[in-house]
Amino acid sequence: MLTLATGALNAISFLALGGVFVSVMTANLALVGIAIGESDPDLAGNSVVALAGYIAGVLAGARYCERCERANRSGVRTLLVGEVLLLCGVLVGWLTVDGSPPAPLRTVLLGAAALAMGCQSATIRAAAPPGVSTTYMTGLLTALLTDVLARRRPDWSRVALLAAIPIGAALGALVVGTARTAAPLLPVALLAAVLVLSAGRLGAPGRPDH
């Protein structure tokens, strides 16, 4: 569900927040180069905002996870709550302008969405098995293809994660096209569902996991 939310949010950001992604930083780095080559300051600015937001989210999330680890407690649920609050902020800003944010607000919403994705990346890196991600998939795709080539049995849970990205993106594109005003509600709802379904499994803030 986190990966579905990632796919949806990437579609929303690409279609409505400046033609960039909020979790695929390799693509954004390429977009910076394209923007420079084509003398497109708007694309360059949007790409840099997404990069900066994502980096800030990763650094903040990783630092918090380290502090929680030293204190022998789980920070995963707290970080996911923080991510939901960030995306609720995006939703509120989006709703105030009926889904058509002007350039200054679009920059703020893009930065907040990228910050949320960076935070999610740091959270999953700390909590999930090695090689698992819910925000970027190049490494996962490479590992799966290597397994196929070596005729090893594929890890179907990771195949499902990989498939969730285009499915989430398709859902995100659908809501932008058919219910644009409420589009950011989709990733918020998915993340809220994660918190509800994982209650008691991630460990409450300040308590060690069991």
Side-chain angles (χ1 to χ4, degrees):
M1 294 185 76
L2 288 172
T3 311
L4 283 172
T6 297
L9 196 58
N10 274 303
I12 293 167
S13 69
F14 185 80
L15 294 172
L17 293 178
V20 298
F21 300 101
V22 288
S23 78
V24 190
M25 293 304 112
T26 306
N28 286 339
L29 286 169
L31 288 173
V32 169
I34 292 169
I36 293 171
E38 293 190 342
S39 299
D40 187 342
D42 290 337
L43 179 58
N46 291 336
S47 301
V48 169
V49 167
L51 283 162
Y54 184 86
I55 290 168
V58 169
L59 293 176
R63 182 66 180 270
Y64 184 76
C65 285
E66 288 176 1
R67 291 174 60 185
C68 289
E69 185 177 356
R70 288 197 295 269
N72 193 32
R73 61 189 178 90
S74 172
V76 173
R77 191 169 183 82
T78 301
L79 287 172
L80 290 178
V81 169
E83 184 182 355
V84 171
L85 292 177
L86 280 169
L87 294 184
C88 283
V90 172
L91 176 61
V92 169
W94 183 276
L95 290 174
T96 59
V97 292
D98 294 324
S100 299
L105 179 58
R106 186 170 62 237
T107 299
V108 173
L109 298 182
L110 177 62
L115 182 66
M117 286 293 96
C119 184
Q120 185 184 131
S121 293
T123 304
I124 297 303
R125 184 175 176 83
V132 170
S133 172
T134 60
T135 52
Y136 50 90
M137 294 291 161
T138 305
L140 185 59
L141 176 60
T142 302
L144 288 172
L145 292 174
T146 302
D147 287 344
V148 170
L149 186 62
R151 297 183 180 179
R152 290 190 290 266
R153 183 177 180 179
D155 184 336
W156 292 109
S157 64
R158 299 191 179 194
V159 172
L161 282 178
L162 193 63
I165 285 284
I167 293 172
L171 292 173
L174 181 63
V175 294
V176 169
T178 60
R180 185 184 180 95
T181 302
L185 182 59
L186 174 59
V188 169
L190 288 167
L191 283 164
V194 169
L195 287 172
V196 171
L197 293 172
S198 64
R201 296 186 182 185
L202 296 177
R207 294 170 178 255
D209 283 326
H210 298 287

